[in-house]
Every structure is written in C-alpha cells, then in structure tokens.
Amino acid sequence: MSHHFPIRVYYEDTDLAGIVYYANYLKFIERARSEWVREAGVDQVALKVQHGTVFAVRHVSADYLAPAQFDDLLTVTTSLDKITGSRLFLTQSVARDDTPLFASQITLVCLSTSGKPTRIPADIRAKLQPHS
C-alpha cells in the first residue's frame, strides 16, 4: 500500500531558473515520510519518550528526472519495501500528474536517543507493516 501526499510548489521552493531547487525534493519527501508514519499511528514524539528511540535517514539515493515549477501541484508517494530489525527501506517518488519528476530509495535506521543503533519496537513495527 502506498501513501500519497500532495505538495504545492511555492516561490520559495524555486531557484534562479524558476524550477524547484534540487535540495527541496529532500524536504518534500521528508514531509511525506512524516505524514506516512503519523497516518500509520506512530507518534514520533511518543516513540522518543516511551521507547527512547528515533528514526534517522541512513541512506538516500536520488534521481532527478524532470523539473517542477512554481505553483505545480505535486504528489509524493511513499512505499515501504522492506522492514528489518532496525531498518526501514522505502521508495519515494514525486510526480506532477502522471509525469515522474524525482525518484528515491531511502534507508531509515532506528537509533537510541544516544545515537546507537537499536531494534524497532515490536508495536511500532506492527503499525508500520500494514502500511507497506
């Protein structure tokens, strides 16, 4: 199951050429990931407080396929490819209508609040698994 998150391109998202500045795609997919986790029923603040764990990006592979421009309405799609003991492997893409603009592979890791790798709590894994 994929999660879809709409994003409107604002003037502040563009560069001198009038297209979305490349680093802003990372912001777009971060917002969409946060909403995907929230809609799965995971409160990331509670995760930190109750379990002493947080999610962090370990790896990003990004492919810029076509430019987006001011006022475009985009859709960020997030799909969970695989979940292991301490990692989430995601595919995220950005499209305008049926035109793919950006594609990425993301690896998230579960860390303790001291920054050490740790297992994803079982209750959190159960909430995320159905949203793959």
Side-chain angles (χ1 to χ4, degrees):
M1 181 174 165
S2 296
H3 176 266
H4 303 282
F5 182 71
I7 295 224
R8 174 75 62 188
V9 175
Y10 297 111
Y11 184 74
E12 67 188 21
D13 299 321
T14 62
D15 63 13
L16 187 60
I19 60 175
V20 171
Y21 182 66
Y22 79 97
N24 286 332
Y25 287 97
L26 298 177
K27 292 179 181 183
F28 295 165
I29 65 173
E30 177 69 33
R31 288 180 205 151
R33 264 194 324 276
S34 293
E35 292 303 321
W36 171 72
V37 169
R38 178 178 285 114
E39 287 184 23
V42 177
D43 179 334
Q44 293 192 73
V45 174
L47 177 66
K48 182 178 178 183
V49 171
Q50 295 169 3
H51 293 284
T53 60
V54 296
F55 290 119
V57 173
R58 166 71 173 85
H59 175 81
V60 174
S61 169
D63 195 6
Y64 300 88
L65 306 170
Q69 300 176 345
F70 173 72
D71 208 36
D72 282 351
L73 180 59
L74 310 177
T75 302
V76 181
T77 302
T78 303
S79 300
L80 176 65
D81 297 327
K82 183 169 112 175
I83 187 168
T84 67
S86 62
R87 294 179 188 217
L88 298 166
F89 297 88
L90 303 163
T91 297
Q92 289 191 276
S93 60
V94 179
R96 179 182 52 245
D97 299 320
D98 293 329
T99 304
L101 305 177
F102 176 84
S104 64
Q105 299 293 316
I106 310 293
T107 303
L108 297 178
V109 293
C110 190
L111 300 175
S112 68
T113 52
S114 65
K116 304 233 189 264
T118 189
R119 295 188 65 76
I120 300 168
D123 61 323
I124 303 304
R125 182 190 323 271
K127 288 179 179 180
L128 295 174
Q129 197 68 51
H131 293 81
S132 59

